[in-house]
Amino acid sequence: MQKNHIIKLNNRVFKPTDTSNLLLSSLTNQKLKGKILDLGCGSGYIAINLLNLKNPKIKMYASDISDEACKLTEKNASLNGFKINVKKGSLYQPWKDSKFNFIINDVSGISEVLAKKSKWFKNVSCNSGEDGTKLTLNVLKNSKKHLLKDGTIIFPILSLANEKKIFNYLKSNFKKYKILMVQNWVMPKELMKHSKILEKLKKKKFISFEKKFGLYVWNTKIIYARD
């Protein structure tokens, strides 16, 4: 049964965003079972909400490159009476010999240039490359080593990265993938101050957005993929 839960945050750990909530919404419609990995767990927001909404007996695993994020996830799990196996490390490094039924990827997926100018990554590292695909492609390229038979990876693609590059990789390397959800967003004010940079990145086809009524509109797509 769903119950009230507590998620503590701190300024040195990535805070949940609208994209995090969209990812969580897409997951509530999935039949989650077995072993689940929350990759780039931050505060444990995704993992704890899933345990609360779905089944507290799910075998939940989580990791993050940030030591503070791992400690915060452990703290939040304890506050809510949940058990999460948390490890520190970059991407799959803590899970060399492990495989999962579901991998939920919420690592940085926007142009590193924009990340440095956004509030989302204040005091938080983002090594996603100029076109924003570095970490996402790394996660996808190595996912098959860590997915059990019929395993699934679910992750966001933001148009503040080179989404075409990611979709091309999916087409070439996964037998099945689909878009679960799409949500449009208005460009944050702090990024609109850097319109010249936005236009330059768009011209390079590293990001995409539309202009509507004087606003810049970008989107998040939540992707389901399996081999």
Side-chain angles (χ1 to χ4, degrees):
M1 174 182 270
Q2 184 177 346
K3 61 181 182 179
N4 293 329
H5 61 287
I6 305 165
I7 304 288
K8 297 286 187 181
L9 304 174
N10 87 43
N11 291 328
R12 295 177 300 279
V13 174
F14 186 80
K15 294 180 180 179
T17 64
D18 289 334
T19 289
S20 304
N21 286 322
L22 190 68
L23 179 59
L24 182 61
S25 293
S26 74
L27 291 165
T28 59
N29 296 322
Q30 299 296 316
K31 294 181 179 179
L32 301 178
K33 61 181 180 179
K35 298 171 65 179
I36 301 172
L37 173 62
D38 180 4
L39 199 58
C41 60
S43 62
Y45 180 77
I46 296 288
I48 288 165
N49 270 287
L50 288 178
L51 288 168
N52 184 56
L53 292 168
K54 304 291 280 187
N55 183 351
K57 295 183 180 179
I58 288 173
K59 294 179 181 178
M60 186 67 71
Y61 301 77
S63 59
D64 200 289
I65 195 170
S66 162
D67 184 54
E68 287 202 61
C70 292
K71 289 178 180 177
L72 187 56
T73 293
E74 289 177 332
K75 178 180 180 179
N76 282 327
S78 178
L79 285 171
N80 290 279
F82 294 139
K83 183 177 180 181
I84 301 177
N85 185 344
V86 185
K87 292 186 179 183
K88 178 192 173 185
S90 176
L91 304 180
Y92 296 111
Q93 183 272 327
W95 312 106
K96 291 180 180 178
D97 302 313
S98 301
K99 292 191 176 186
F100 306 89
N101 298 95
F102 283 85
I103 294 174
I104 302 162
N105 171 46
D106 197 20
V107 299
S108 307
I110 75 168
S111 168
E112 189 173 331
V113 178
L114 299 182
K116 291 176 179 178
K117 300 185 181 302
S118 76
K119 292 181 180 178
W120 300 318
F121 291 90
K122 187 177 181 180
N123 301 321
V124 180
S125 65
C126 176
N127 300 308
S128 53
E130 188 179 10
D131 73 350
T133 66
K134 180 180 176 181
L135 296 175
T136 299
L137 288 176
N138 195 329
V139 168
L140 292 176
K141 287 174 182 177
N142 291 286
S143 63
K144 295 182 183 180
K145 300 176 187 176
H146 298 281
L147 284 171
L148 292 163
K149 185 178 179 181
D150 298 324
T152 300
I153 182 166
I154 297 178
F155 65 101
I157 296 180
L158 283 64
S159 68
L160 297 182
N162 188 342
E163 55 183 343
K164 183 177 180 181
K165 188 174 179 180
I166 299 171
F167 276 115
N168 284 340
Y169 185 84
L170 284 170
K171 290 175 185 176
S172 300
N173 294 278
F174 284 83
K175 292 179 181 177
K176 181 180 179 181
Y177 73 90
K178 62 182 178 181
I179 299 172
L180 297 177
M181 288 186 172
V182 182
Q183 179 66 54
N184 291 330
W185 319 103
V186 174
M187 196 73 71
K189 291 180 180 179
E190 72 269 16
L191 292 182
M192 283 301 298
K193 293 177 183 177
H194 304 282
S195 58
K196 289 184 179 179
I197 293 174
L198 289 168
E199 294 288 355
K200 183 179 180 180
L201 290 170
K202 184 179 181 181
K203 188 174 182 180
K204 287 183 175 182
K205 298 184 179 180
F206 287 168
I207 68 171
S208 60
F209 55 84
E210 296 181 359
K211 297 179 183 179
K212 295 183 178 180
F213 308 108
L215 301 173
Y216 286 12
V217 179
W218 59 284
N219 69 66
T220 299
K221 299 177 178 72
I222 304 299
I223 310 298
Y224 164 109
R226 65 192 306 176
D227 199 21

Short mmCIF file of all heavy atoms in Angstrom, two decimals, residues 50-86:
data_model
loop_
_atom_site.label_atom_id
_atom_site.label_comp_id
_atom_site.label_asym_id
_atom_site.label_seq_id
_atom_site.Cartn_x
_atom_site.Cartn_y
_atom_site.Cartn_z
N LEU A 50 9.61 4.42 -6.46
CA LEU A 50 9.18 3.14 -7.04
C LEU A 50 8.89 2.11 -5.95
O LEU A 50 7.91 1.37 -6.03
CB LEU A 50 10.23 2.61 -8.01
CG LEU A 50 10.35 3.36 -9.35
CD1 LEU A 50 11.46 2.76 -10.19
CD2 LEU A 50 9.03 3.30 -10.11
N LEU A 51 9.74 2.05 -4.95
CA LEU A 51 9.50 1.13 -3.84
C LEU A 51 8.20 1.48 -3.12
O LEU A 51 7.45 0.60 -2.69
CB LEU A 51 10.68 1.17 -2.86
CG LEU A 51 11.97 0.52 -3.36
CD1 LEU A 51 13.13 0.89 -2.45
CD2 LEU A 51 11.82 -0.99 -3.45
N ASN A 52 7.93 2.77 -3.03
CA ASN A 52 6.72 3.22 -2.34
C ASN A 52 5.46 2.98 -3.17
O ASN A 52 4.43 2.54 -2.66
CB ASN A 52 6.85 4.72 -2.02
CG ASN A 52 5.68 5.24 -1.21
OD1 ASN A 52 5.38 4.73 -0.14
ND2 ASN A 52 5.00 6.26 -1.72
N LEU A 53 5.56 3.24 -4.48
CA LEU A 53 4.39 3.13 -5.35
C LEU A 53 4.11 1.71 -5.83
O LEU A 53 2.96 1.33 -6.01
CB LEU A 53 4.57 4.03 -6.58
CG LEU A 53 4.57 5.54 -6.33
CD1 LEU A 53 5.04 6.28 -7.57
CD2 LEU A 53 3.17 6.01 -5.94
N LYS A 54 5.18 0.94 -6.04
CA LYS A 54 5.01 -0.37 -6.66
C LYS A 54 5.05 -1.52 -5.65
O LYS A 54 4.04 -2.15 -5.38
CB LYS A 54 6.10 -0.58 -7.73
CG LYS A 54 6.13 0.50 -8.80
CD LYS A 54 4.91 0.47 -9.71
CE LYS A 54 5.04 -0.59 -10.77
NZ LYS A 54 3.94 -0.53 -11.76
N ASN A 55 6.23 -1.76 -5.10
CA ASN A 55 6.39 -2.92 -4.23
C ASN A 55 7.67 -2.76 -3.41
O ASN A 55 8.76 -2.76 -3.97
CB ASN A 55 6.47 -4.20 -5.08
CG ASN A 55 6.57 -5.45 -4.24
OD1 ASN A 55 6.75 -5.39 -3.02
ND2 ASN A 55 6.49 -6.60 -4.88
N PRO A 56 7.55 -2.63 -2.09
CA PRO A 56 8.74 -2.44 -1.25
C PRO A 56 9.67 -3.66 -1.25
O PRO A 56 10.79 -3.57 -0.75
CB PRO A 56 8.16 -2.19 0.14
CG PRO A 56 6.80 -2.80 0.11
CD PRO A 56 6.31 -2.62 -1.30
N LYS A 57 9.21 -4.78 -1.81
CA LYS A 57 10.04 -6.00 -1.85
C LYS A 57 10.85 -6.12 -3.14
O LYS A 57 11.59 -7.09 -3.32
CB LYS A 57 9.15 -7.23 -1.66
CG LYS A 57 8.49 -7.30 -0.28
CD LYS A 57 7.68 -8.56 -0.12
CE LYS A 57 7.03 -8.61 1.26
NZ LYS A 57 6.20 -9.83 1.44
N ILE A 58 10.69 -5.15 -4.05
CA ILE A 58 11.52 -5.14 -5.26
C ILE A 58 12.99 -5.10 -4.85
O ILE A 58 13.37 -4.41 -3.91
CB ILE A 58 11.19 -3.90 -6.13
CG1 ILE A 58 9.82 -4.05 -6.80
CG2 ILE A 58 12.26 -3.70 -7.21
CD1 ILE A 58 9.36 -2.81 -7.54
N LYS A 59 13.83 -5.84 -5.56
CA LYS A 59 15.27 -5.82 -5.29
C LYS A 59 15.86 -4.59 -5.98
O LYS A 59 16.08 -4.58 -7.19
CB LYS A 59 15.93 -7.09 -5.80
CG LYS A 59 15.47 -8.34 -5.06
CD LYS A 59 16.13 -9.59 -5.62
CE LYS A 59 15.66 -10.84 -4.88
NZ LYS A 59 16.27 -12.07 -5.47
N MET A 60 16.07 -3.53 -5.21
CA MET A 60 16.49 -2.25 -5.77
C MET A 60 17.99 -2.00 -5.54
O MET A 60 18.50 -2.18 -4.43
CB MET A 60 15.68 -1.12 -5.13
CG MET A 60 15.93 0.24 -5.73
SD MET A 60 15.36 0.40 -7.44
CE MET A 60 13.56 0.40 -7.17
N TYR A 61 18.65 -1.62 -6.61
CA TYR A 61 20.06 -1.28 -6.58
C TYR A 61 20.21 0.15 -7.10
O TYR A 61 19.42 0.60 -7.92
CB TYR A 61 20.86 -2.25 -7.47
CG TYR A 61 20.72 -3.70 -7.06
CD1 TYR A 61 19.56 -4.42 -7.38
CD2 TYR A 61 21.73 -4.35 -6.37
CE1 TYR A 61 19.41 -5.75 -7.00
CE2 TYR A 61 21.59 -5.68 -5.98
CZ TYR A 61 20.43 -6.38 -6.30
OH TYR A 61 20.29 -7.69 -5.93
N ALA A 62 21.23 0.86 -6.62
CA ALA A 62 21.41 2.24 -7.03
C ALA A 62 22.89 2.61 -6.99
O ALA A 62 23.65 2.08 -6.17
CB ALA A 62 20.62 3.18 -6.12
N SER A 63 23.28 3.51 -7.89
CA SER A 63 24.67 3.98 -7.87
C SER A 63 24.76 5.39 -8.43
O SER A 63 23.88 5.85 -9.16
CB SER A 63 25.58 3.04 -8.69
OG SER A 63 25.14 2.94 -10.03
N ASP A 64 25.84 6.04 -8.05
CA ASP A 64 26.09 7.41 -8.49
C ASP A 64 27.59 7.66 -8.38
O ASP A 64 28.26 7.07 -7.52
CB ASP A 64 25.32 8.41 -7.63
CG ASP A 64 25.15 9.76 -8.31
OD1 ASP A 64 26.14 10.50 -8.46
OD2 ASP A 64 24.00 10.08 -8.71
N ILE A 65 28.10 8.54 -9.23
CA ILE A 65 29.53 8.87 -9.17
C ILE A 65 29.86 9.71 -7.94
O ILE A 65 31.00 9.77 -7.49
CB ILE A 65 29.96 9.60 -10.47
CG1 ILE A 65 31.49 9.61 -10.59
CG2 ILE A 65 29.36 11.01 -10.52
CD1 ILE A 65 31.98 10.10 -11.93
N SER A 66 28.83 10.34 -7.37
CA SER A 66 29.00 11.22 -6.21
C SER A 66 28.88 10.45 -4.90
O SER A 66 27.87 9.78 -4.65
CB SER A 66 27.96 12.34 -6.25
OG SER A 66 27.82 12.96 -4.99
N ASP A 67 29.90 10.57 -4.06
CA ASP A 67 29.86 9.93 -2.75
C ASP A 67 28.72 10.50 -1.90
O ASP A 67 28.02 9.76 -1.21
CB ASP A 67 31.20 10.16 -2.04
CG ASP A 67 31.28 9.44 -0.71
OD1 ASP A 67 31.05 8.21 -0.68
OD2 ASP A 67 31.56 10.09 0.31
N GLU A 68 28.51 11.82 -2.00
CA GLU A 68 27.42 12.45 -1.22
C GLU A 68 26.07 11.96 -1.69
O GLU A 68 25.14 11.80 -0.89
CB GLU A 68 27.52 13.97 -1.34
CG GLU A 68 28.68 14.55 -0.55
CD GLU A 68 28.48 16.01 -0.23
OE1 GLU A 68 27.51 16.34 0.46
OE2 GLU A 68 29.31 16.82 -0.68
N ALA A 69 25.91 11.74 -3.00
CA ALA A 69 24.64 11.23 -3.52
C ALA A 69 24.37 9.83 -2.97
O ALA A 69 23.24 9.53 -2.56
CB ALA A 69 24.67 11.20 -5.04
N CYS A 70 25.38 8.99 -2.95
CA CYS A 70 25.20 7.63 -2.43
C CYS A 70 24.81 7.64 -0.95
O CYS A 70 23.91 6.90 -0.53
CB CYS A 70 26.48 6.82 -2.64
SG CYS A 70 26.84 6.47 -4.37
N LYS A 71 25.47 8.49 -0.19
CA LYS A 71 25.15 8.59 1.24
C LYS A 71 23.74 9.12 1.45
O LYS A 71 23.02 8.67 2.35
CB LYS A 71 26.17 9.49 1.94
CG LYS A 71 27.55 8.87 2.06
CD LYS A 71 28.53 9.84 2.72
CE LYS A 71 29.92 9.21 2.84
NZ LYS A 71 30.91 10.16 3.41
N LEU A 72 23.32 10.07 0.59
CA LEU A 72 21.99 10.64 0.72
C LEU A 72 20.92 9.60 0.34
O LEU A 72 19.87 9.52 0.99
CB LEU A 72 21.86 11.88 -0.17
CG LEU A 72 20.57 12.69 -0.03
CD1 LEU A 72 20.33 13.14 1.41
CD2 LEU A 72 20.60 13.90 -0.97
N THR A 73 21.19 8.80 -0.69
CA THR A 73 20.25 7.73 -1.07
C THR A 73 20.11 6.73 0.07
O THR A 73 18.99 6.30 0.40
CB THR A 73 20.72 7.03 -2.35
OG1 THR A 73 20.64 7.93 -3.45
CG2 THR A 73 19.86 5.81 -2.66
N GLU A 74 21.22 6.36 0.68
CA GLU A 74 21.17 5.43 1.81
C GLU A 74 20.37 6.03 2.97
O GLU A 74 19.57 5.33 3.61
CB GLU A 74 22.59 5.10 2.27
CG GLU A 74 23.35 4.21 1.28
CD GLU A 74 24.78 3.94 1.72
OE1 GLU A 74 25.35 4.79 2.44
OE2 GLU A 74 25.32 2.88 1.35
N LYS A 75 20.58 7.31 3.23
CA LYS A 75 19.85 7.99 4.31
C LYS A 75 18.35 8.01 4.02
O LYS A 75 17.53 7.70 4.90
CB LYS A 75 20.37 9.41 4.46
CG LYS A 75 19.64 10.23 5.53
CD LYS A 75 20.22 11.64 5.64
CE LYS A 75 19.48 12.45 6.69
NZ LYS A 75 20.04 13.82 6.82
N ASN A 76 17.99 8.36 2.78
CA ASN A 76 16.57 8.42 2.41
C ASN A 76 15.92 7.04 2.44
O ASN A 76 14.76 6.90 2.83
CB ASN A 76 16.42 9.07 1.03
CG ASN A 76 16.55 10.58 1.09
OD1 ASN A 76 16.15 11.21 2.07
ND2 ASN A 76 17.10 11.17 0.05
N ALA A 77 16.66 6.03 2.03
CA ALA A 77 16.13 4.66 2.09
C ALA A 77 15.84 4.28 3.54
O ALA A 77 14.77 3.73 3.85
CB ALA A 77 17.12 3.69 1.46
N SER A 78 16.78 4.60 4.43
CA SER A 78 16.61 4.28 5.84
C SER A 78 15.43 5.03 6.45
O SER A 78 14.64 4.46 7.22
CB SER A 78 17.89 4.63 6.59
OG SER A 78 17.76 4.37 7.98
N LEU A 79 15.28 6.31 6.09
CA LEU A 79 14.18 7.12 6.61
C LEU A 79 12.82 6.54 6.24
O LEU A 79 11.84 6.71 6.97
CB LEU A 79 14.28 8.55 6.07
CG LEU A 79 15.35 9.46 6.69
CD1 LEU A 79 15.46 10.77 5.90
CD2 LEU A 79 15.02 9.75 8.15
N ASN A 80 12.77 5.87 5.08
CA ASN A 80 11.50 5.33 4.60
C ASN A 80 11.34 3.84 4.85
O ASN A 80 10.35 3.23 4.44
CB ASN A 80 11.38 5.61 3.10
CG ASN A 80 11.17 7.10 2.82
OD1 ASN A 80 10.06 7.60 2.92
ND2 ASN A 80 12.23 7.80 2.48
N GLY A 81 12.33 3.25 5.52
CA GLY A 81 12.24 1.83 5.87
C GLY A 81 12.44 0.90 4.67
O GLY A 81 11.97 -0.24 4.68
N PHE A 82 13.16 1.38 3.64
CA PHE A 82 13.41 0.56 2.45
C PHE A 82 14.84 0.07 2.41
O PHE A 82 15.75 0.69 2.99
CB PHE A 82 13.14 1.37 1.17
CG PHE A 82 11.69 1.76 0.98
CD1 PHE A 82 11.36 3.02 0.52
CD2 PHE A 82 10.67 0.87 1.25
CE1 PHE A 82 10.03 3.39 0.33
CE2 PHE A 82 9.34 1.22 1.07
CZ PHE A 82 9.03 2.49 0.61
N LYS A 83 15.04 -1.01 1.70
CA LYS A 83 16.38 -1.56 1.53
C LYS A 83 16.84 -1.32 0.09
O LYS A 83 16.19 -1.78 -0.86
CB LYS A 83 16.39 -3.06 1.85
CG LYS A 83 17.78 -3.69 1.77
CD LYS A 83 17.73 -5.16 2.15
CE LYS A 83 19.12 -5.79 2.06
NZ LYS A 83 19.08 -7.24 2.42
N ILE A 84 17.92 -0.59 -0.06
CA ILE A 84 18.50 -0.34 -1.38
C ILE A 84 20.00 -0.64 -1.30
O ILE A 84 20.69 -0.16 -0.40
CB ILE A 84 18.30 1.12 -1.83
CG1 ILE A 84 16.80 1.47 -1.90
CG2 ILE A 84 18.94 1.36 -3.20
CD1 ILE A 84 16.53 2.92 -2.27
N ASN A 85 20.49 -1.43 -2.24
CA ASN A 85 21.92 -1.72 -2.33
C ASN A 85 22.59 -0.59 -3.10
O ASN A 85 22.43 -0.48 -4.31
CB ASN A 85 22.13 -3.06 -3.05
CG ASN A 85 23.59 -3.49 -3.06
OD1 ASN A 85 24.50 -2.70 -2.82
ND2 ASN A 85 23.82 -4.76 -3.37
N VAL A 86 23.30 0.29 -2.39
CA VAL A 86 23.87 1.49 -3.00
C VAL A 86 25.39 1.36 -3.12
O VAL A 86 26.06 0.97 -2.16
CB VAL A 86 23.55 2.74 -2.15
CG1 VAL A 86 24.05 4.00 -2.87
CG2 VAL A 86 22.05 2.85 -1.88
#
